[in-house]
Amino acid sequence: GIIIGFGLNVYKQDFPIDLKNSVSSLEEEYLSTYDRNNFIAYFFNHLDSYLNHPSIIELYKRYMFPIGTEVLLSIHQEKERVSILDVNDLGQLIIQTKDKQIKTLTNEEIILK
């Protein structure tokens, strides 16, 4: 199975200075306020239809960061810049390190920077 973990900022807020360039909120991006309860209900109702889609991996590849995107891989608070190569049939992210090693990620954190 696939484990999906994410954080979603619904309302505009003051983020710490070290996060200001890498985080946002729905309210900021769409210049609109949201009722959190309605949004969560809508989100999970539609998420279920995507998760039951016969080609969930193809949908994931279509909407994920483009192949070649550089991200920060965070493991035990150490960060390393890597490039996204692909997603395998198990939903695992395949990345390439700066020293050209190919790795398959199962539950590590990546940060778009």
Side-chain angles (χ1 to χ4, degrees), residues 7 29-30 34 36 56 74 104:
E29 296 300 320
Y30 295 101
Y34 290 88
R36 188 182 311 209
I56 183 71
S74 178
T104 301

Side-chain angles (χ1 to χ4, degrees), residues 1-2 57 87-92:
I2 296 174
I57 298 299
V87 172
N88 67 20
D89 290 341
L90 298 174
Q92 299 166 315

